[in-house]
Amino acid sequence: VWAGRRQLFVRFAAEAETATMYTADALAGEMRRATTRSAFHSISITGRDPLANVEYLCSAFEKAECTLPVMLDGDGQRPEAIAGLRGIITLSQVSLDGSAIGATEDRAFDTIRAAAAVGMQHALVVSVDDRSSDANMLRLVERAHAASVATMVIIHPGTTTPVDRDRRWTMLFERA
């Protein structure tokens, strides 16, 4: 949702990896230093599993005393962790593959519902490629809006997809 804005990234490469590389105090110090040296729109928490250690994130952000909005971008597989970040996260963004199905998809929409329930802005990003069917993408959009009518939806075609010349994408975007 905030693409193109200057952001400071806190990126988890594996389950809570940042939490093993930095103490909460060290991460808070890095965020304070970075945000005083340069102007940022927001802070983005991303990676494979950023919600694996909510207490760590809460501690780091409490100590950093940042006033910037914070976006959480994850796979949505820990909906129960969302409530613990109330007051820290401004925007909870769930990123799914365009061919997502089953329990993974269900938990992602539970995360969107959880974010809406605690008053966070919330979004679904669907990354699609030629393997993603139009029907599945439209179903994901419908489920996002069923989870919360305030869900922002971004359909993100792959880099090799000529969306400006491909009628399939034009029609899909119009329908979505």
Side-chain angles (χ1 to χ4, degrees):
V1 172
W2 293 343
R5 310 252 177 122
R6 187 176 166 93
Q7 294 182 301
L8 177 63
F9 282 82
V10 176
R11 178 136 171 77
F12 291 84
E15 185 173 308
E17 183 177 279
T18 298
T20 64
M21 294 175 64
Y22 287 94
T23 64
D25 289 332
L27 179 58
E30 290 295 323
M31 288 191 293
R32 272 194 306 274
R33 275 189 289 285
T35 57
T36 57
R37 289 183 189 152
S38 187
F40 291 96
H41 169 268
S42 53
I43 297 173
S44 181
I45 304 170
T46 68
R48 185 178 300 157
D49 193 7
L51 291 176
N53 196 333
V54 171
E55 297 83 14
Y56 168 80
L57 287 170
C58 289
S59 179
F61 276 89
E62 179 182 300
K63 293 172 183 179
E65 300 175 356
C66 290
T67 58
L68 295 174
V70 178
M71 178 184 77
L72 171 72
D73 180 29
D75 60 6
Q77 297 307 295
R78 295 182 189 259
E80 66 283 352
I82 292 293
L85 293 168
R86 181 191 335 222
I88 295 172
I89 302 300
T90 307
L91 169 63
S92 178
Q93 178 174 290
V94 174
S95 295
L96 283 180
D97 182 279
S99 57
I101 56 171
T104 300
E105 177 186 325
D106 293 341
R107 292 186 62 73
F109 291 111
D110 288 344
T111 298
I112 290 172
R113 276 188 285 283
V118 298
M120 291 177 191
Q121 295 175 24
H122 44 283
L124 173 68
V125 175
V126 183
S127 298
V128 298
D129 58 24
D130 292 334
R131 297 171 295 140
S132 307
S133 73
D134 292 3
N136 197 51
M137 287 184 282
L138 291 171
R139 189 178 55 73
L140 292 173
V141 171
E142 289 171 355
R143 286 201 66 191
H145 287 130
S148 168
V149 295
T151 305
M152 295 173 271
V153 177
I154 295 92
I155 298 175
H156 205 343
T159 56
T160 60
T161 306
V163 295
D164 59 336
R165 299 182 306 270
D166 188 335
R167 183 141 172 81
R168 171 192 180 209
W169 292 102
T170 304
M171 292 183 66
L172 176 66
F173 292 146
E174 287 172 2
R175 291 177 63 198

